[in-house]
Each structure stands twice: as structure tokens, then as C-alpha cells.
Amino acid sequence: MPELQMMILTIIGLALLFDFINGFHDTANAIATSVSTRALHPSHAVIMAAVLNFAGAMYSTGVAKTIGGDIVSSPHMVDEHVLIAALAGSVIWNIITWWLALPSSSSHALVGGIIGAVLISVGSSGLNFLGIGKIVLSLIVSPCLAIVTGCCVMLLLYRIFGNFSPSSVNHKFKKMQVLSAAAMAFSHGSNDAQKSMGIITLALLSSGYLTEFEVPTFVKILCATAMACGTAIGGWRIIKTIGGKIFKLEPISGFASDLNSSIVIFSATLLHLPVSTTHVVSGSIMGVGTAKRVNAVRWGVAQQMVVAWVLTIPCTAAMGAVAYMIVKAIFV
């Protein structure tokens, strides 16, 4: 029993570390556009994002139930070793991509880590392929949708404000960007923080501490706090990539990108679907840039991101598998 309690505490600690890293890794998603256009001072933007990340994380638990219930075929086929390994693999990947300033997906990393750890522990019978398919589909469709809708939103704004002087339009949209950045931060928290909530709740359920998959209030508060603290530190390395290297943003295009991203992400939250906020924001910026002209987007940088996105699930699956063997050797 003491060993089980130690492993549960390890899972909770790793899940909170994942949320913390997710917070500073994905700070760029919420505030990169408003910082790069100087609509918000960086320190003010980070504080606002941290507060609204916390509020968003407390909003619902639908995504947590999807993560905890749709990847594995049964909670009883997943033990503490699997969850520790999955979290370890995803945390390591997030740190590597943060160091390389690549805006990769924390969602992909977590899903890949779980798949790898489950495959090497109990085999394919432990995976719910229908649920995984639904999750992977949402992760793929969401950035594609963001590109299309981002382009549409930007074209609509060009049509409405096309006859105004650029200086007056950008002056007004600098103020509007505060609202769009706030919406983006809230929607980011509403989707991303729930992923760790799902893992912790799955651990409590599989070990007998819970009788049904219902996220406890203390888990919601812990995960929301961890993400908010990570956001408060800020991921400045990735902000530079998101905010300026894909497309040179102006206040009006920054507003369009944030508004579009927040709508796509929050819609996914309402549908209980986990999406990659990194992918959605990057897709929105690409779509907004395309509305101006196709060659305005730095497709070389976008290509590097796509490579990172494609590699994330297989790489973290491998890391999760290796981590499982190490964890089994440690906790004999």
C-alpha cells in the first residue's frame, strides 16, 4: 500500500509538471500575437494569460473524460507504471521542443506517451482504437479548419475595413487585441489543463481511490494552478517563433488570428474534444497570412513545425515505451 501511494503521488507530481511545462510551453499560443504587435506589454500579457488560463481550466471536465476514457480500453488495464511512463515521455519531449524553440503539441505528446506505454505493457488490446481515432482526427482537423476559417475571418475584416487608413485601423485593433488575447487565454486553459486532469483521475480510478470517472475538485484546482504558474513564467523562446517567424502580424491580423483560434479551441472544448492549441494558433496565423497573399507566409518555418507535429506521436510513443521499461525496473 505505501508503494501504491508513492506511485500515485508520483503520477500526480508528473501530471502537474506536465501542466506546468504545458503552461510555459504554450504561453505563446495565448499572447504571442498581442505581444508581437505591441498591443500588450509582455509582463501584462503573461499575467492576464495566467489568470484566464486558471479560469478556463476550471470551466469543465469533458476533455478530461475523453483523455481518461477514450485512449485505453479499460481503466483496469492501465496501472501506475504505464501512467508514469506516459507522462515522463511527454514531459521530456516538451522540454526538448521548448529548448529547440519548436511550437510542438503537448496534446500529441501526451497521447503518444500513453499509446507507447500501453503497447509495451499489455499490447494492443489495452488501446481503444475507436477513441484514439476520434482524438487523432480532432488533432488533425482542427489546424486545417483554423487555416480555412482564419483566412475567411481576415478576408471579412479586409472587406469591412479596407477603405480605412491602415494607421487608424491598427490603432483601433490594438485595443481589440486585448479582448481577443483574453478569449484565447481562457479557451487555452479550458482545453489544455483538462488533459492532466484526465490522467490523474484515471490513476485514481485504476488504483481504486475512485469508483467512477469523475474529476475531483482538488484535481481541477491543482491542474489549473500548475498551468497558471507555468504560464506566468512564460515561454519566450516559442513566442518569437509563433509571433513573428510565420507571418509578420499587424494588430488587425493579430486580432483575427486570436479570435479565430479561441473560437476553434473553445468549440472543441464544448464538444469534449482535445485539440492542440499550438496547431490551431499556428494554423490561424497561416490562414490570416494567406488572406493577405500566399507568399506572405514563411512556409519554410511552417514546414519545420509540420515536421515536429508529425514526429511527436511516434517519438513520444517510443519514449513512453522506453520509460515504461525503466519504471518497471525501478518499481519492481
Side-chain angles (χ1 to χ4, degrees):
M1 191 67 177
E3 182 181 347
L4 176 62
Q5 291 175 340
M6 177 61 68
M7 294 184 74
I8 293 295
L9 289 175
T10 302
I11 291 170
I12 293 174
L14 280 172
L16 295 179
L17 177 61
F18 174 83
D19 251 349
F20 179 82
I21 293 173
N22 194 355
F24 79 71
H25 194 281
D26 288 0
T27 300
N29 297 341
I31 64 173
T33 57
S34 55
V35 169
S36 65
T37 60
R38 294 182 173 83
L40 282 169
H41 187 277
S43 59
H44 297 162
V46 167
I47 293 170
M48 180 193 74
V51 172
L52 289 169
N53 260 202
F54 182 91
M58 297 297 292
Y59 174 73
S60 74
T61 58
V63 174
K65 293 177 180 178
T66 298
I67 288 290
D70 284 6
I71 298 179
V72 297
S73 55
S74 169
H76 303 294
M77 299 186 74
V78 179
D79 63 11
E80 293 74 24
H81 303 90
V82 169
L83 296 177
I84 290 173
L87 286 166
S90 55
V91 165
I92 292 169
W93 178 259
N94 274 352
I95 292 173
I96 291 171
T97 52
W98 167 80
W99 181 255
L100 296 174
L102 284 174
S104 70
S105 168
S106 298
S107 304
H108 282 200
L110 185 58
V111 171
I114 296 172
I115 290 173
V118 171
L119 276 176
I120 200 152
S121 62
V122 297
S124 59
S125 62
L127 296 174
N128 176 2
F129 288 100
L130 184 63
I132 292 172
K134 181 180 76 172
I135 292 171
V136 171
L137 186 64
S138 70
L139 290 170
I140 293 173
V141 170
S142 54
C144 298
L145 179 65
I147 291 174
V148 175
T149 54
C151 183
C152 292
V153 169
M154 194 68 241
L155 288 173
L156 179 62
L157 291 178
Y158 280 150
R159 181 173 289 274
I160 296 172
F161 298 99
N163 294 326
F164 291 78
S165 69
S167 59
S168 64
V169 168
N170 283 324
H171 178 70
K172 291 175 182 177
F173 274 95
K174 267 193 176 181
K175 297 177 182 177
M176 294 291 288
Q177 265 197 281
V178 177
L179 296 177
S180 63
M184 180 58 222
F186 181 87
S187 64
H188 172 242
S190 74
N191 200 279
D192 268 18
Q194 290 192 52
K195 292 152 191 172
S196 288
M197 294 181 198
I199 295 298
I200 294 175
T201 305
L202 179 60
L204 294 173
L205 180 63
S206 63
S207 58
Y209 287 97
L210 294 176
T211 56
E212 59 179 350
F213 197 101
E214 197 64 43
V215 182
T217 302
F218 83 90
V219 173
K220 290 195 284 186
I221 293 173
L222 284 175
C223 290
T225 302
M227 175 162 280
C229 289
T231 301
I233 289 178
W236 302 112
R237 299 172 69 89
I238 296 172
I239 284 176
K240 293 177 181 178
T241 302
I242 289 283
K245 291 186 178 179
I246 301 175
F247 167 68
K248 185 172 174 56
L249 291 164
E250 298 174 336
I252 187 171
S253 52
F255 170 82
S257 174
D258 280 348
L259 177 64
N260 183 65
S261 298
S262 61
I263 291 172
V264 172
I265 294 167
F266 195 66
S267 297
T269 299
L270 294 177
L271 293 171
H272 301 170
L273 293 173
V275 296
S276 167
T277 54
T278 306
H279 290 201
V280 171
V281 172
S282 300
S284 292
I285 295 174
M286 291 175 201
V288 166
T290 302
K292 185 174 184 179
R293 63 180 186 278
V294 174
N295 61 2
V297 178
R298 297 182 179 94
W299 295 107
V301 176
Q303 186 178 17
Q304 292 174 8
M305 292 181 187
V306 171
V307 170
W309 298 344
V310 170
L311 289 176
T312 296
I313 287 183
C315 285
T316 51
M319 288 180 177
V322 172
Y324 177 80
M325 292 186 285
I326 295 172
V327 170
K328 283 291 287 185
I330 295 173
F331 295 97
V332 179

